Amino acid sequence: MTQREEHRKHKNPVPAVDFLISKDNNSKILLVRRKNDPFKGMLSIPGGFINEGETAEDAMRREAEEETSLIVEPTAILGVYSDPRRDPRMHTLSVTFITRIVRGTENARDDAAALQWIKLEGDELDGLIQSQQIAFDHSKILSDYKKWIRATQGSVQSSTSTNLTFWSTKNKQSNEALQSKNQQRDK
Amino acid sequence: MTQREEHRKHKNPVPAVDFLISKDNNSKILLVRRKNDPFKGMLSIPGGFINEGETAEDAMRREAEEETSLIVEPTAILGVYSDPRRDPRMHTLSVTFITRIVRGTENARDDAAALQWIKLEGDELDGLIQSQQIAFDHSKILSDYKKWIRATQGSVQSSTSTNLTFWSTKNKQSNEALQSKNQQRDK
């Protein structure tokens, strides 16, 4: 038995990436209409699992191209989201990146039934969040992203190899909201 | 077969935490003399695997207490390190936290043969890095932490539920150094 096989008897969360793609000076965010369960038909930020042998950054680049046809690069880590209830299938851990578009035109592929640019500030996103049309814990991620934009306004673009990023400590209130949402789904 | 079992046929990196515990106004960092392989006898920052059902933050708190007897809290995420070559046993992904000590006195336990406070700036740490006595990719993490301290001097203490943190994009040079170190070990 290799050390890897030996270790696989233990159980760990499954690591994934999620990522924020924005345009128009960070005023609009790209959301994915989910083609498959969980949360089929709901909106999420793009993302997917990290494969063995692949860095988190490479998984993010691959998933961005697979789901949106866009070539993107990471500019910062918004946070790491690892609440065991964040995904109803299993315990996942999301490394959530902020990205910039390098090239390409958005075009829904793979798990994405459709893509939608949503204004970050204003009634549209608030309405989607309040009516629980945002999948997983992505309402919390979008809320953290809004805070991040307000906190770093303009300053991130100027840095080179390293970046100031934003990390939110676990928010008990939003975890409870998530649990309630999952319970609602299970009914 | 549950969705979790179904997914386990796929291979993903194993998520772990590493964390920086410092004292004397961030001038000294706590390192662990490793009791077990890999890198037995070498120094590392404290860390360990995240268990299923446990958040990254809770894994960090548990491992800190198990290895050092200290009660610590996360203050920021320094970065996520996921180079497939960072651990010779298997592909691991490290969520690396910056912490503050809440209470306790450091006392080596569990995987730690001994604990050592090392000055972050100066010849001692540089010497350990140059003589390749630092395990895994922790030389890179320590180098990023030094940059983070210089960049955020004092500003992190004042924030409350959210924090400005620091994230370094993949550094090709240090990945090559790591690969060379792993190759050396394998000889």
Side-chain angles (χ1 to χ4, degrees), chain A residues 161, chain B residues 83 140 144 147 168-176:
Chain A
S161 69
Chain B
D83 190 299
K140 162 101 176 97
D144 287 347
K147 286 182 205 160
S168 303
T169 50
K170 250 179 61 178
N171 182 320
K172 199 165 180 301
Q173 201 173 3
S174 73
N175 288 339
E176 282 162 5

Side-chain angles (χ1 to χ4, degrees), chain A residues 78-79 81 140 144 147 166-170, chain B residues 57 161-163:
Chain A
L78 178 68
Y81 298 84
K140 162 102 177 98
D144 288 346
K147 287 182 205 161
F166 196 76
W167 173 69
S168 302
T169 51
K170 249 178 62 180
Chain B
E57 291 83 355
S161 69
T162 51
N163 296 282

